[in-house]
Amino acid sequence: MPSDAQLTSTAPIGLPLFDPRPVVLSHDLVRLEPLALGHANDLCAAASQEIESWRYMPVPGLADAATAERWISEANARSAAGGEIAFAIVDGVSGRAVGSTRYLDIRREHRGLEIGYTWLSPDVRRTAVNTICKYLMLCHAFDRLGAIRVQLKTDSRNTRSQTAIERIGAVREGVLRSHMICWDGTLRDSVYYAITRDEWPGIRTKLASLCGATM
Protein backbone atom coordinates (compact mmCIF):
# COMPACT_ATOMS: atom_id res chain seq x y z
CA MET A 1 0.00 0.00 0.00
CA PRO A 2 1.48 3.42 -0.91
CA SER A 3 2.25 5.72 1.98
CA ASP A 4 -0.03 8.62 2.83
CA ALA A 5 2.59 10.97 1.42
CA GLN A 6 2.44 9.14 -1.92
CA LEU A 7 -1.36 9.07 -1.98
CA THR A 8 -2.10 12.71 -1.23
CA SER A 9 -1.31 15.98 -2.94
CA THR A 10 -0.97 19.51 -1.66
CA ALA A 11 -4.42 21.12 -1.63
CA PRO A 12 -5.02 24.50 -3.29
CA ILE A 13 -6.53 27.07 -0.96
CA GLY A 14 -10.14 26.20 -0.16
CA LEU A 15 -9.94 22.57 -1.35
CA PRO A 16 -9.40 19.41 0.73
CA LEU A 17 -6.57 17.02 0.05
CA PHE A 18 -7.48 14.96 -2.99
CA ASP A 19 -7.27 11.43 -1.64
CA PRO A 20 -10.03 9.07 -2.88
CA ARG A 21 -10.56 6.09 -0.58
CA PRO A 22 -13.20 3.30 -0.45
CA VAL A 23 -16.50 4.73 0.78
CA VAL A 24 -20.24 3.98 0.85
CA LEU A 25 -22.34 6.36 -1.29
CA SER A 26 -26.09 6.17 -0.73
CA HIS A 27 -29.38 7.20 -2.36
CA ASP A 28 -32.86 5.88 -1.56
CA LEU A 29 -32.80 3.65 -4.67
CA VAL A 30 -29.10 2.80 -5.00
CA ARG A 31 -26.15 2.21 -2.70
CA LEU A 32 -22.54 2.05 -3.85
CA GLU A 33 -20.47 -0.18 -1.57
CA PRO A 34 -16.77 -1.03 -1.73
CA LEU A 35 -16.57 -4.20 -3.83
CA ALA A 36 -16.20 -7.29 -1.63
CA LEU A 37 -16.19 -11.07 -2.00
CA GLY A 38 -19.64 -11.13 -0.43
CA HIS A 39 -20.99 -9.58 -3.65
CA ALA A 40 -19.70 -12.45 -5.81
CA ASN A 41 -22.88 -14.53 -6.10
CA ASP A 42 -25.11 -11.54 -6.85
CA LEU A 43 -22.69 -10.18 -9.45
CA CYS A 44 -22.30 -13.59 -11.08
CA ALA A 45 -26.09 -13.79 -11.44
CA ALA A 46 -26.28 -10.22 -12.78
CA ALA A 47 -23.45 -10.76 -15.25
CA SER A 48 -25.01 -13.98 -16.57
CA GLN A 49 -27.92 -11.88 -17.87
CA GLU A 50 -25.67 -9.18 -19.36
CA ILE A 51 -23.82 -10.01 -22.56
CA GLU A 52 -23.56 -6.79 -24.55
CA SER A 53 -21.54 -4.67 -22.10
CA TRP A 54 -18.88 -7.34 -21.66
CA ARG A 55 -18.03 -7.03 -25.36
CA TYR A 56 -16.23 -3.83 -24.43
CA MET A 57 -14.60 -5.01 -21.19
CA PRO A 58 -11.07 -6.27 -20.51
CA VAL A 59 -12.51 -9.68 -19.53
CA PRO A 60 -15.34 -11.69 -21.17
CA GLY A 61 -17.65 -11.88 -18.15
CA LEU A 62 -18.22 -13.59 -14.81
CA ALA A 63 -19.04 -17.13 -15.79
CA ASP A 64 -19.21 -18.57 -12.27
CA ALA A 65 -18.71 -17.66 -8.61
CA ALA A 66 -15.00 -18.55 -8.69
CA THR A 67 -14.45 -16.21 -11.67
CA ALA A 68 -16.41 -13.46 -9.90
CA GLU A 69 -14.34 -13.88 -6.74
CA ARG A 70 -11.09 -13.71 -8.72
CA TRP A 71 -12.33 -10.60 -10.55
CA ILE A 72 -13.23 -8.96 -7.22
CA SER A 73 -9.86 -9.86 -5.68
CA GLU A 74 -8.00 -8.36 -8.65
CA ALA A 75 -10.08 -5.16 -8.41
CA ASN A 76 -9.35 -4.87 -4.70
CA ALA A 77 -5.63 -5.36 -5.29
CA ARG A 78 -5.71 -2.37 -7.64
CA SER A 79 -7.61 -0.42 -5.01
CA ALA A 80 -5.00 -1.27 -2.39
CA ALA A 81 -2.31 0.03 -4.76
CA GLY A 82 -4.09 3.38 -4.88
CA GLY A 83 -4.99 3.58 -8.57
CA GLU A 84 -8.63 2.45 -8.54
CA ILE A 85 -11.65 2.16 -6.24
CA ALA A 86 -14.21 -0.48 -7.18
CA PHE A 87 -17.85 -0.43 -6.09
CA ALA A 88 -20.73 -2.87 -6.09
CA ILE A 89 -23.97 -1.26 -7.26
CA VAL A 90 -26.61 -2.41 -4.78
CA ASP A 91 -30.34 -2.09 -5.40
CA GLY A 92 -31.81 -0.09 -2.52
CA VAL A 93 -35.04 -2.10 -2.48
CA SER A 94 -33.92 -5.71 -2.92
CA GLY A 95 -30.45 -5.36 -1.39
CA ARG A 96 -28.98 -7.28 -4.35
CA ALA A 97 -25.78 -6.27 -6.10
CA VAL A 98 -26.91 -5.53 -9.68
CA GLY A 99 -23.65 -4.36 -11.23
CA SER A 100 -20.36 -2.62 -10.61
CA THR A 101 -18.51 0.62 -11.32
CA ARG A 102 -15.15 2.19 -10.44
CA TYR A 103 -13.05 5.25 -9.96
CA LEU A 104 -10.12 4.67 -12.32
CA ASP A 105 -6.89 6.45 -13.29
CA ILE A 106 -6.77 8.34 -9.99
CA ARG A 107 -4.28 11.20 -10.41
CA ARG A 108 -3.90 12.68 -6.98
CA GLU A 109 -1.31 15.27 -7.92
CA HIS A 110 -3.62 16.65 -10.64
CA ARG A 111 -6.91 16.23 -8.72
CA GLY A 112 -8.46 14.10 -11.43
CA LEU A 113 -9.95 10.66 -11.91
CA GLU A 114 -12.09 8.62 -14.28
CA ILE A 115 -15.47 6.97 -13.75
CA GLY A 116 -15.77 3.74 -15.67
CA TYR A 117 -15.80 -0.06 -15.89
CA THR A 118 -19.55 0.28 -15.31
CA TRP A 119 -21.96 -2.54 -16.06
CA LEU A 120 -25.49 -3.32 -14.92
CA SER A 121 -27.91 -6.21 -14.93
CA PRO A 122 -30.36 -5.76 -17.85
CA ASP A 123 -33.35 -5.58 -15.49
CA VAL A 124 -32.13 -2.22 -14.11
CA ARG A 125 -30.44 -0.87 -17.23
CA ARG A 126 -33.31 1.33 -18.41
CA THR A 127 -34.09 2.65 -14.94
CA ALA A 128 -32.56 5.59 -13.05
CA VAL A 129 -29.85 3.37 -11.51
CA ASN A 130 -27.00 4.38 -13.81
CA THR A 131 -27.86 8.08 -13.58
CA ILE A 132 -27.99 7.88 -9.78
CA CYS A 133 -24.61 6.09 -9.69
CA LYS A 134 -23.02 8.85 -11.78
CA TYR A 135 -24.63 11.51 -9.59
CA LEU A 136 -23.32 9.92 -6.38
CA MET A 137 -19.81 9.44 -7.77
CA LEU A 138 -19.59 12.91 -9.29
CA CYS A 139 -20.87 14.57 -6.09
CA HIS A 140 -18.29 12.71 -4.04
CA ALA A 141 -15.46 13.53 -6.47
CA PHE A 142 -16.21 17.23 -6.89
CA ASP A 143 -17.99 18.27 -3.68
CA ARG A 144 -16.20 16.16 -1.07
CA LEU A 145 -12.80 15.40 -2.60
CA GLY A 146 -12.34 18.63 -4.55
CA ALA A 147 -11.68 17.16 -7.99
CA ILE A 148 -11.02 19.58 -10.83
CA ARG A 149 -11.62 17.06 -13.63
CA VAL A 150 -13.56 13.81 -13.97
CA GLN A 151 -13.28 11.91 -17.23
CA LEU A 152 -15.23 9.06 -18.78
CA LYS A 153 -14.40 6.91 -21.77
CA THR A 154 -16.18 4.29 -23.83
CA ASP A 155 -15.66 2.04 -26.83
CA SER A 156 -16.40 3.89 -30.08
CA ARG A 157 -18.78 1.04 -30.99
CA ASN A 158 -20.79 1.50 -27.81
CA THR A 159 -23.24 4.17 -28.95
CA ARG A 160 -25.61 3.47 -26.06
CA SER A 161 -22.89 4.36 -23.58
CA GLN A 162 -21.97 7.50 -25.50
CA THR A 163 -25.59 8.65 -25.46
CA ALA A 164 -25.80 8.06 -21.70
CA ILE A 165 -22.59 10.01 -21.04
CA GLU A 166 -23.70 12.91 -23.20
CA ARG A 167 -27.08 12.91 -21.44
CA ILE A 168 -25.46 13.78 -18.12
CA GLY A 169 -23.67 16.75 -19.69
CA ALA A 170 -20.09 15.51 -20.13
CA VAL A 171 -18.15 17.15 -22.99
CA ARG A 172 -16.82 14.92 -25.75
CA GLU A 173 -13.09 15.63 -26.08
CA GLY A 174 -11.93 13.24 -28.78
CA VAL A 175 -11.03 9.69 -29.80
CA LEU A 176 -7.90 7.72 -28.93
CA ARG A 177 -7.44 5.45 -31.93
CA SER A 178 -6.21 1.86 -31.46
CA HIS A 179 -6.26 2.56 -27.75
CA MET A 180 -6.91 -0.87 -26.24
CA ILE A 181 -7.03 -4.55 -27.12
CA CYS A 182 -10.28 -6.10 -25.90
CA TRP A 183 -10.44 -9.60 -24.41
CA ASP A 184 -11.53 -11.05 -27.78
CA GLY A 185 -8.62 -9.42 -29.63
CA THR A 186 -10.65 -6.55 -31.07
CA LEU A 187 -8.64 -3.34 -31.41
CA ARG A 188 -10.67 -0.64 -29.67
CA ASP A 189 -10.90 3.09 -30.31
CA SER A 190 -11.87 4.94 -27.10
CA VAL A 191 -14.09 8.03 -27.02
CA TYR A 192 -13.17 10.40 -24.17
CA TYR A 193 -15.49 12.76 -22.30
CA ALA A 194 -14.90 15.00 -19.28
CA ILE A 195 -16.53 17.29 -16.76
CA THR A 196 -14.47 20.09 -15.21
CA ARG A 197 -14.95 21.80 -11.88
CA ASP A 198 -16.31 24.93 -13.61
CA GLU A 199 -18.93 22.85 -15.46
CA TRP A 200 -19.97 20.80 -12.46
CA PRO A 201 -22.49 23.17 -10.75
CA GLY A 202 -24.80 23.21 -13.78
CA ILE A 203 -24.47 19.46 -14.28
CA ARG A 204 -25.10 18.84 -10.57
CA THR A 205 -28.38 20.74 -10.76
CA LYS A 206 -29.46 18.76 -13.82
CA LEU A 207 -28.56 15.39 -12.30
CA ALA A 208 -30.16 16.22 -8.96
CA SER A 209 -33.40 16.89 -10.79
CA LEU A 210 -33.15 13.62 -12.73
CA CYS A 211 -32.42 11.68 -9.53
CA GLY A 212 -34.98 13.42 -7.35
CA ALA A 213 -32.19 14.40 -5.00
CA THR A 214 -32.15 17.22 -2.48
CA MET A 215 -29.53 19.87 -3.24
Side-chain angles (χ1 to χ4, degrees), residues 99-162:
S100 183
T101 189
R102 301 186 191 185
Y103 286 139
L104 303 162
D105 191 21
I106 298 172
R107 300 175 303 123
R108 286 171 172 82
E109 69 276 23
H110 299 296
R111 308 187 73 85
L113 51 74
E114 179 177 318
I115 293 175
Y117 213 145
T118 304
W119 61 272
L120 289 166
S121 173
D123 59 349
V124 298
R125 186 189 294 154
R126 289 178 175 82
T127 68
V129 168
N130 186 49
T131 301
I132 293 170
C133 288
K134 295 297 189 292
Y135 175 72
L136 290 172
M137 296 176 81
L138 286 165
C139 282
H140 185 68
F142 283 114
D143 297 337
R144 297 189 183 93
L145 298 176
I148 60 173
R149 171 187 167 88
V150 174
Q151 69 185 31
L152 306 96
K153 69 175 182 290
T154 188
D155 193 304
S156 62
R157 299 169 295 167
N158 193 348
T159 56
R160 187 186 69 199
S161 177
Q162 291 170 53

Side-chain angles (χ1 to χ4, degrees), residues 7-61:
L7 287 175
T8 57
S9 60
T10 301
I13 295 174
L15 292 178
L17 289 176
F18 187 72
D19 187 19
R21 302 274 183 159
V23 65
V24 175
L25 305 174
S26 295
H27 179 278
D28 289 345
L29 300 179
V30 180
R31 186 171 67 255
L32 296 178
E33 301 176 351
L35 192 62
L37 290 175
H39 297 119
N41 288 334
D42 281 352
L43 291 180
C44 185
S48 69
Q49 305 173 53
E50 170 59 284
I51 298 174
E52 182 179 352
S53 292
W54 292 96
R55 292 176 57 203
Y56 313 115
M57 297 289 186
V59 295

